[in-house]
Amino acid sequence: MMDEHFASGNSQLHRRNPKVKIIVAIAFITVVAVTNNFTVATVALIAAVLLISFAHLAPGSVAKRLLAVNSFIVFLWLTLPLTYGGEQTIRFGSIALSQEGIHIATLITLKANAIILALIALLGTSTIAHLGHALDSLGLSKRLCFLLLFSYRYIFVIHNEYKKLSRALKIRCFVPATNIHTYRTYGYLFGMTLVRSWNRASRVHQAMLLRGFNGQLIPLDTKTINRNDYFFLATSLLLTFVLAILPLF
Amino acid sequence: MLELKNVRYTYPGTDQPILKNLNFEVADKRIGLIGANGSGKTTLFHLLIGLLNPDEGELLLHGQPVTTKETLRALRKEVGFLFQSSDDQLFSPTVIEDVAFGPLNLGFPPEEAREIAVKTLHNLGLTGFEERITHRLSGGEKKLVALATILSMQPKILLLDEPTNNLDPKTRSRLIDILKGLDQHQIIISHDWDFLSHTTTILYEIAHGHIHRCEEDHVHVHRHVHKAGDHPHHHQHSS
């Protein structure tokens, strides 16, 4: 669950400053997300594939992530061509497929895959800790950065608390069914998980205070922005800009 | 150097004080603290480090009352507290970040903080743990790393709350060796008599809200049975 194996590499993309990667990711995603243009979406997907090839990630793991996203898109393919309507329709006996529906479904597929690949290539190649610190230095609210960093650290622990409690249910022969007893038990389970997480949060806060924490999270390795980072930033933003104005030609 | 004077503490929502008329001074180098569950041992630690404020009485560091934010900061720099649960203590993603967290907060620049962290880990025999993910360490490793996060702040007093809980015999004896080799004053809460006999020279007991010093060594011989052969210990000379 908490694997960051995409982040442990040494490619050009891994070595880029997370701040720069966040800016590029935001620009690229914005352009791709708002476009209705087929060419833009196709070029964006090609660009994203190129980007991910620079990151030298295991193709199998990347494919697995894509599969997860595309399993949602399958539902669009099942519904859009049948329900979109529009003028041009293709008929197979009694089933009418909307050409516009197919068009939209293709566009969404291209866009979604381009965005996911770009996100994996740009953000997946930094650890959450580095991204958190980068967001902080980009001016995101400190509270949100803490929230990100600590959710990341403690989701695992909270999940463990939850597992412990549900194990306690199982060994006492609890079998969920559709009845009040089940609802009440699940209520206790979630309530108890919440209480325990809260208690843990206050203990962690104490531990931080005891070690001199005063609201400022100081990163251990301050990543400087070097010439390669500026080059990457400038090129990527230029290409993204070209992508955005492509429909004008 | 660190002292509680005439302290009384009541937990909110209860009417009986858990500690009353309590006087305690960290005068000796190796102090063991015993008492039944719920007798107030951990509460005493929380009072000593300013996590709880007494209803009555005061906390003194080098004879000066600890009241302001600055004195509290000075206190927490000098006193390190090892929690019962290491999961509460380790919150950074990697070991090195966690061990460097204290030095960074004390104002050391990142390179120096890293150096201090690496050195502290090395002293505890944890070289190579720097980039390990904290929540994936074993229980024993977590305990030693948690100790490192405190030692990296170079405290003068250590408060250790049941440090041997859930440790296997090997890690336990490693911890004994480490604690024996440390120069700091140590106050150890434990139910592990054997551990206390190795690491402390004086015992205090908390009972009924009061603390009192236990009697000194009392040597005696007794017979006992090992139902599992060589466990829990092996006798060198059979008599």
PDB file of all heavy atoms in Angstrom, chain B residues 82 135 207:
ATOM      1  N   LEU B  82      11.686   8.571  26.086  1.00  0.00           N
ATOM      2  CA  LEU B  82      11.421   7.444  25.189  1.00  0.00           C
ATOM      3  C   LEU B  82      10.035   6.888  25.506  1.00  0.00           C
ATOM      4  O   LEU B  82       9.805   6.360  26.590  1.00  0.00           O
ATOM      5  CB  LEU B  82      12.483   6.356  25.368  1.00  0.00           C
ATOM      6  CG  LEU B  82      12.432   5.195  24.376  1.00  0.00           C
ATOM      7  CD1 LEU B  82      12.875   5.639  22.995  1.00  0.00           C
ATOM      8  CD2 LEU B  82      13.284   4.038  24.847  1.00  0.00           C
ATOM      9  N   HIS B 135       7.982   2.957   9.384  1.00  0.00           N
ATOM     10  CA  HIS B 135       6.882   2.088   9.810  1.00  0.00           C
ATOM     11  C   HIS B 135       7.086   0.641   9.398  1.00  0.00           C
ATOM     12  O   HIS B 135       6.311  -0.223   9.786  1.00  0.00           O
ATOM     13  CB  HIS B 135       5.535   2.627   9.316  1.00  0.00           C
ATOM     14  CG  HIS B 135       5.355   2.549   7.844  1.00  0.00           C
ATOM     15  ND1 HIS B 135       5.421   3.641   7.028  1.00  0.00           N
ATOM     16  CD2 HIS B 135       5.128   1.495   7.026  1.00  0.00           C
ATOM     17  CE1 HIS B 135       5.233   3.271   5.780  1.00  0.00           C
ATOM     18  NE2 HIS B 135       5.055   1.981   5.754  1.00  0.00           N
ATOM     19  N   ALA B 207       3.127   4.380  44.826  1.00  0.00           N
ATOM     20  CA  ALA B 207       1.920   3.686  45.278  1.00  0.00           C
ATOM     21  C   ALA B 207       1.035   4.674  46.009  1.00  0.00           C
ATOM     22  O   ALA B 207       1.532   5.541  46.736  1.00  0.00           O
ATOM     23  CB  ALA B 207       2.305   2.524  46.197  1.00  0.00           C
TER      24      ALA B 207
END
